[in-house]
Amino acid sequence: MKEENIKEIARILLGTSLIFAGISHITFARKDFKAQVPDWVPLKKDDTVVYSGIVEIALGSALVFTPEKHKRKVGKIAAAFFIGVFPGNISQFTHKRSAFGLNSDNKRFVRLLFQPMLVYWAIKSTGDRNP
């Protein structure tokens, strides 16, 4: 399979995953996502979860549907989003909040290691398409 096709599949998979995550923020997984909202966020936890869900749906849609000339920019925005929500993952770890089956310090710590992979995925799947 050509690298261009792999990037395309990876980008669409990331976009649809974000859309699903966004929908879960505002529906069935709200309680779990509230566990990740740091106490210092100046909004109500539920509002933060809903707003971030809306952003994820929009960002996922942009990853899936953006024209070729804007894909790199959308990838960088997605990477910045993953960096921006990382404090929520850290908060879940430091405050020992169980959610999404992350019910031990080890599991919450391992979850932290996946965030850089999401940043890489966003950048790599939307990067230069010309070899």
Side-chain angles (χ1 to χ4, degrees):
M1 187 178 281
K2 291 183 177 181
E3 183 181 352
E4 183 177 323
N5 293 339
I6 293 169
K7 284 184 177 185
E8 199 74 7
I9 291 167
R11 179 185 52 77
I12 291 170
L13 183 59
L14 181 60
T16 54
S17 296
L18 275 169
I19 292 167
F20 176 78
I23 291 168
S24 69
H25 270 68
I26 56 180
T27 58
F28 62 90
R30 252 161 116 159
K31 181 179 177 185
D32 285 327
F33 280 111
K34 283 191 227 181
Q36 293 184 316
V37 178
D39 293 333
W40 51 262
V41 173
L43 302 171
K44 292 178 182 176
K45 289 184 186 248
D46 192 59
D47 291 347
T48 302
V49 169
V50 170
Y51 298 149
S52 62
I54 292 167
V55 169
E56 285 185 333
I57 293 168
L59 190 53
S61 298
L63 281 166
V64 172
F65 298 112
T66 295
E68 185 69 34
K69 67 180 183 175
H70 298 295
K71 286 180 182 172
R72 274 187 101 163
K73 188 179 295 183
V74 171
K76 289 177 183 180
I77 293 168
F81 175 80
F82 290 131
I83 292 167
V85 300
F86 190 57
N89 303 115
I90 294 170
S91 176
Q92 183 179 8
F93 174 71
T94 59
H95 290 93
K96 301 179 186 293
R97 294 179 179 151
S98 295
F100 302 110
L102 304 175
N103 55 5
S104 71
D105 286 344
N106 285 339
K107 289 179 182 179
R108 287 185 285 267
F109 179 76
V110 169
R111 166 63 181 92
L112 295 176
L113 302 176
F114 284 97
Q115 206 69 14
M117 286 191 244
L118 290 172
V119 173
Y120 178 79
W121 187 357
I123 299 281
K124 188 71 174 167
S125 69
T126 59
D128 188 10
R129 299 219 177 330
N130 299 322

